Amino acid sequence: MYKIKILTILFIFYSSIIYAENTILEPSQSTTAKYRLFRTSNMWTFLKLETTTGKIWILQYDISGDSRFTIELNTIDLSGGKEKTAGRFTLYPTSNIYTFILLDQIYGNTWQVQWSFEEETRFIIPID
């Protein structure tokens, strides 16, 4: 009985260590910052959001230095000229690694955001 308890405790301990090693800690971000970065499931790619207008860029980094770039995803000011407040827009990931939901936190408008490296397959469309 004593051995089973020790084995159970050791199993839980080692499982938590393995889980902790695979967890990527997100830095805290101000929800009222003008710009925020959102992690995608692609380890090299982030989405950069201008939280006052809803403009979005695809940002890719590279450890070797020859594949770093930024691509505009949405260049349209979605604020409609009203209340350009920092933190107005935010992104929510979905289970599809290429799809996020953009939310206007003041007026409740939503958009489907599809990021891609190919121009013809990236878009942002309203969800009515």
Side-chain angles (χ1 to χ4, degrees):
M1 186 68 162
Y2 179 72
K3 288 181 181 181
I4 293 174
K5 286 182 181 180
I6 289 177
L7 287 175
T8 303
I9 290 170
L10 287 174
F11 175 76
I12 292 170
F13 177 73
Y14 285 116
S15 296
S16 64
I17 289 173
I18 290 169
Y19 176 76
E21 288 177 358
N22 293 326
T23 302
I24 298 173
L25 298 175
E26 293 286 335
S28 61
Q29 295 188 47
S30 170
T31 56
T32 59
K34 183 172 180 179
Y35 291 95
R36 291 187 62 199
L37 286 177
F38 293 86
R39 183 180 304 279
T40 68
S41 293
N42 178 318
M43 67 183 281
W44 307 106
T45 307
F46 285 82
L47 296 182
K48 181 173 88 172
L49 172 67
E50 184 177 0
T51 66
T52 58
T53 64
K55 293 180 181 180
I56 304 170
W57 294 263
I58 300 168
L59 181 133
Q60 180 171 305
Y61 72 97
D62 180 356
I63 58 172
S64 64
D66 48 355
S67 295
R68 295 181 190 134
F69 60 84
T70 302
I71 300 172
E72 293 177 329
L73 175 60
N74 173 42
T75 60
I76 300 168
D77 181 347
L78 299 174
S79 71
K82 303 183 275 183
E83 298 185 50
K84 290 188 179 181
T85 307
R88 175 174 172 177
F89 291 91
T90 193
L91 286 168
Y92 290 90
T94 68
S95 57
N96 179 328
I97 69 169
Y98 298 104
T99 305
F100 283 72
I101 302 299
L102 177 67
L103 172 66
D104 179 339
Q105 298 185 110
I106 294 176
Y107 293 100
N109 299 322
T110 52
W111 294 263
Q112 178 179 335
V113 175
Q114 190 83 20
W115 73 270
S116 172
F117 298 119
E118 286 81 36
E119 185 175 1
E120 62 275 358
T121 57
R122 60 178 177 254
F123 58 84
I124 178 168
I125 55 174
I127 301 172
D128 295 325

